[in-house]
């Protein structure tokens, strides 16, 4: 287990991410993502992923496509605009009784369709209460443009 003390900061394709104190790299991700990092908080109540995607069709369009694919299986919220530390994009929540998600996508390079995705996944916890926590705000507002 890799535990981060005094926080962690990494950069990928012009995006800087600060991971809060005492988060661990998630070792049990079910599938392999080439351009992604997964972390869990000290209490293990959710998993956070930071992923870089290429050849996307736009943050809103990408999330609307995800929404249309899952609406028959899960409850899906409305896709909304979001801006975090100068990064613009879209976000929404979705899930069922067990698995629940918050996903935000930020446009990195419109010409190449590069997007940065920030996702919170929880099992048997309320995504809305996680989103209302200071822990969530540290994660979300720890994302910004790299300098």
């Amino acid at each position: 287990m890799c535990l981060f003390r005094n926080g962690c900061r990494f950069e990928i394709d012009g995006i800087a991410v600060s991971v809060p104190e005492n988060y661990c790299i998630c070792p049990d991700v079910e599938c392999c993502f080439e351009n992604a990092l997964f972390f869990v908080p000290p209490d293990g109540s959710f998993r956070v992923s930071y992923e870089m995607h290429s050849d996307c069709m736009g943050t809103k369009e990408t999330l609307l496509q995800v929404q249309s694919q899952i609406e028959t299986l899960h409850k899906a919220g409305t896709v909304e605009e979001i801006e975090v530390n100068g990064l613009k994009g879209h976000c929404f929540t979705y899930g069922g009784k067990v698995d629940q998600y918050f996903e935000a996508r930020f446009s990195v390079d419109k010409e190449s369709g590069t997007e940065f995705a920030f996702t919170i996944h929880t099992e048997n916890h309320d995504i809305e209460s996680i989103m209302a926590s200071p822990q969530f705000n540290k994660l979300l507002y720890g994302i910004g443009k790299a300098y």
Side-chain angles (χ1 to χ4, degrees):
M1 169 171 42
C2 182
L3 176 67
F4 290 98
R5 301 264 187 219
N6 300 319
C8 164
R9 182 175 167 90
F10 66 90
E11 294 183 6
I12 180 171
D13 289 339
I15 302 295
V17 177
S18 295
V19 179
E21 177 90 8
N22 294 323
Y23 273 63
C24 298
I25 288 183
C26 187
D28 61 346
V29 176
E30 294 145 8
C31 39
C32 184
F33 294 92
E34 185 175 324
N35 296 314
L37 287 173
F38 298 84
F39 296 88
V40 292
D43 66 3
S45 60
F46 60 87
R47 181 176 70 206
V48 58
S49 68
Y50 301 99
E51 303 174 56
M52 194 61 73
H53 298 274
S54 58
D55 298 322
C56 298
M57 57 191 127
T59 59
K60 182 176 183 179
E61 293 77 10
T62 300
L63 290 181
L64 287 171
Q65 183 179 32
V66 171
Q67 185 184 45
S68 70
Q69 292 171 350
I70 62 162
E71 274 185 326
T72 57
L73 302 173
H74 300 289
K75 177 182 152 194
T78 305
V79 174
E80 299 176 357
E81 289 184 9
I82 187 171
E83 185 171 349
V84 174
N85 297 324
L87 295 171
K88 294 181 181 183
H90 291 83
C91 66
F92 82 126
T93 59
Y94 57 96
K97 291 181 181 177
V98 177
D99 292 300
Q100 296 182 4
Y101 299 84
F102 167 85
E103 183 171 349
R105 284 185 169 248
F106 300 97
S107 180
V108 177
D109 182 0
K110 288 185 181 184
E111 283 186 34
S112 66
T114 304
E115 295 177 4
F116 179 77
F118 165 75
T119 306
I120 299 284
H121 169 227
T122 185
E123 297 174 1
N124 299 314
H125 292 86
D126 178 25
I127 194 68
E128 297 296 330
S129 64
I130 291 171
M131 290 170 57
S133 72
Q135 192 174 23
F136 176 82
N137 284 328
K138 276 187 177 181
L139 291 163
L140 182 61
Y141 290 97
I143 300 168
K145 293 180 181 179
Y147 296 103

